[in-house]
């Protein structure tokens, strides 16, 4: 049984997930919490090698099933090497993407379906499920505008229809798991989003630690 709090961030590309994950880490460590922040795909030496294969723009012929399995492989490694051990030690884990990303990007974006993706990932994560997931909602058009100023990877370079399917799948997941997924308008001020996230996390940390009330 895990003792630590498992927090994940989800959202379309360029939704601000990485920024918010780092802001939460700064807040929690500043409050005296032991925190591990990681990302998907990647987070481990093996995972980062898999990440390079997945996101390489030269790999345009990658099969959708192969892509889903590569994501699951990187996920299995990070769960075994980082996430599960940290949670068992009572450490708070903040992860930039997790299984939800595969459900929307491969399950819906690639048309594999949720059942297939859930089956693949069941072996990768087993009983490792986030306590709370923050979904930063930014529509495809806004996301595309934000990506104009930088070089994009293979997934980011997909056609607008793909990113539209991903966004709609995220909205469907939010409705499917209302107790776990907290949807937030990702176009709001960065600090305001951070404040909203902190307000949701503090009671969960207190509950994990058996403390009554919020810790400031």
């Amino acid at each position: 049984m895990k003792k630590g709090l498992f927090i994940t961030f989800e959202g379309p590309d360029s939704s601000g997930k990485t920024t918010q994950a780092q802001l939460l880490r700064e807040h929690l460590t500043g409050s005296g919490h032991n925190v591990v922040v990681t990302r998907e795909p990647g987070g481990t030496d093996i995972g980062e090698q898999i990440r390079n294969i997945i996101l390489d723009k030269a790999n345009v012929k990658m099969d959708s099933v192969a892509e889903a399995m590569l994501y699951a492989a990187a996920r299995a490694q990070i769960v075994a090497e980082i996430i599960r051990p940290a949670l068992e030690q009572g450490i708070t884990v903040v992860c930039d993407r997790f299984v939800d990303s595969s459900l929307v990007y491969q399950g819906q974006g690639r048309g594999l379906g949720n059942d297939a993706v859930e089956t693949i990932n069941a072996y990768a994560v087993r009983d490792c499920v986030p306590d709370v997931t923050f979904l930063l909602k930014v529509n495809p058009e806004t996301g595309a505008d934000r990506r104009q100023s930088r070089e994009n990877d293979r997934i980011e370079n997909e056609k607008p229809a793909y990113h539209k399917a991903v966004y709609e799948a995220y909205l469907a997941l939010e409705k499917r798991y209302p107790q776990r997924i907290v949807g937030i308008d990702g176009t709001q001020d960065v600090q305001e989003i951070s404040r909203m996230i902190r307000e949701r996390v503090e009671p969960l940390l207190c509950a994990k630690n058996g403390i009554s009330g919020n810790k400031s």
Side-chain angles (χ1 to χ4, degrees):
M1 180 179 179
K2 66 184 181 183
K3 300 177 182 178
L5 187 69
F6 186 18
I7 304 166
T8 58
F9 282 85
E10 291 286 350
D13 293 298
S14 303
S15 59
K17 298 178 290 67
T18 303
T19 296
Q20 291 302 327
Q22 292 301 326
L23 287 174
L24 180 59
R25 178 191 62 79
E26 292 172 6
H27 169 73
L28 294 179
T29 55
S31 299
H33 296 285
N34 196 353
V35 183
V36 168
V37 177
T38 190
R39 70 173 182 175
E40 283 206 350
T44 65
D45 289 342
I46 293 171
E48 290 297 328
Q49 293 177 62
I50 296 174
R51 179 186 180 91
N52 290 336
I53 294 172
I54 293 173
L55 301 182
D56 190 338
K57 291 184 291 184
N59 293 331
V60 293
K61 294 183 179 180
M62 185 178 293
D63 177 75
S64 296
V65 174
E67 181 182 274
M69 288 185 169
L70 284 171
Y71 274 108
R75 186 166 294 130
Q77 187 64 32
I78 198 173
V79 167
E81 187 175 334
I82 294 179
I83 296 176
R84 191 184 305 280
L87 292 174
E88 289 176 349
Q89 294 176 50
I91 298 171
T92 296
V93 175
V94 177
C95 192
D96 185 343
R97 294 198 183 285
F98 201 57
V99 176
D100 292 324
S101 284
S102 284
L103 290 174
V104 300
Y105 280 87
Q106 284 76 54
Q108 299 305 312
R110 300 299 189 204
L112 297 181
N114 282 1
D115 289 345
V117 173
E118 287 175 346
T119 298
I120 292 170
N121 281 277
Y123 291 98
V125 305
R126 286 166 284 176
D127 60 344
C128 196
V129 179
D131 293 291
V132 62
T133 297
F134 293 102
L135 170 59
L136 300 184
K137 298 185 286 187
V138 172
N139 65 45
E141 294 77 17
T142 300
D145 289 341
R146 290 180 175 183
R147 293 193 297 274
Q148 285 184 348
S149 61
R150 60 182 173 84
E151 185 176 357
N152 296 322
D153 60 41
R154 185 177 67 87
I155 303 298
E156 292 170 334
N157 276 335
E158 285 291 344
K159 296 179 180 179
Y162 175 80
H163 291 288
K164 183 174 184 290
V166 165
Y167 181 66
E168 292 176 348
Y170 265 129
L171 298 182
L173 271 187
E174 181 186 7
K175 293 180 180 179
R176 182 179 176 186
Y177 300 110
Q179 299 303 315
R180 174 175 63 85
I181 299 179
V182 179
I184 298 175
D185 180 358
T187 64
Q188 298 179 88
D189 176 75
V190 171
Q191 294 301 326
E192 175 61 16
I193 295 174
S194 179
R195 182 193 65 77
M196 295 169 66
I197 291 170
R198 293 196 305 270
E199 286 187 350
R200 291 299 295 261
V201 168
E202 292 295 352
L204 296 175
L205 282 171
C206 289
K208 278 287 183 183
N209 296 326
I211 301 171
S212 176
N214 290 350
K215 179 179 178 180
S216 59

